[in-house]
Amino acid sequence: MTRLTGRALRLTVFVGENDTWHRKPLYTEIVHRAHTAGLAGASVFHGIEGFGASSRIHTSRLLSLSEDLPVAIVVVDTEERVRAFLPELDELVTEGMVTLEPCEVIRYVGRGGNRADQQGDSGTKGKKSL
């Protein structure tokens, strides 16, 4: 498992939910490529309203239902690893926006992760004895 704490870089890719790459959602391709690249994690967030370079407002409101709502793909890892991933996006993102922001990772623990191993203790802290 990748260990990540301290200074990091947050990559955010803003695209439309209908943007595709070889007939599948673009956000899916970006997440899978981030996973293949071994990045620490990626999440996709579905927007309910927004606009971009085209200045056309996309919304989920019932009376003006849009079929191309905004989507944000967020990836966090070390600056070196995120910057190494950027060429992948050059190929994939033909419309949208890509941003980078410094951030600080406070905790990065996977499901089922043994926190004792990550904290470097014997694992008895906070456990009740039977």
Side-chain angles (χ1 to χ4, degrees), residues 98-109:
V98 178
T99 65
L100 294 172
E101 303 91 20
C103 64
E104 183 177 358
V105 176
I106 305 301
R107 177 174 292 179
Y108 178 64
V109 180

Side-chain angles (χ1 to χ4, degrees), residues 3-129:
R3 296 195 186 270
L4 180 65
T5 56
R7 293 177 57 177
L9 199 60
R10 178 176 50 238
L11 164 70
T12 307
V13 181
F14 297 94
V15 296
E17 70 178 339
N18 288 339
D19 292 346
T20 60
W21 179 259
H22 296 281
R23 293 189 216 113
K24 68 181 180 181
L26 177 59
Y27 57 85
T28 298
E29 183 67 17
I30 293 170
V31 168
H32 285 270
R33 287 195 186 194
H35 184 261
T36 300
L39 294 173
S43 296
V44 178
F45 298 93
H46 194 242
I48 58 172
E49 190 164 23
F51 71 93
S54 70
S55 293
R56 182 168 174 238
I57 294 180
H58 303 271
T59 181
S60 64
R61 285 182 280 146
L62 189 58
L63 295 177
S64 57
L65 194 60
S66 173
E67 295 182 8
D68 193 24
L69 293 171
V71 173
I73 305 102
V74 178
V75 177
V76 175
D77 207 319
T78 64
E79 181 172 357
E80 179 182 358
R81 293 171 64 85
V82 169
R83 289 195 183 276
F85 182 68
L86 292 178
E88 296 274 351
L89 298 178
D90 288 339
E91 177 185 10
L92 297 172
V93 180
T94 58
E95 293 179 356
M97 180 169 37
V98 178
T99 65
L100 294 172
E101 303 91 20
C103 64
E104 183 177 358
V105 176
I106 305 301
R107 177 174 292 179
Y108 178 64
V109 180
R111 288 189 182 163
N114 185 346
R115 291 181 70 185
D117 288 346
Q118 294 168 7
Q119 294 173 353
D121 63 20
S122 65
T124 59
K125 184 176 181 181
K127 290 186 179 179
K128 294 181 180 178
S129 58

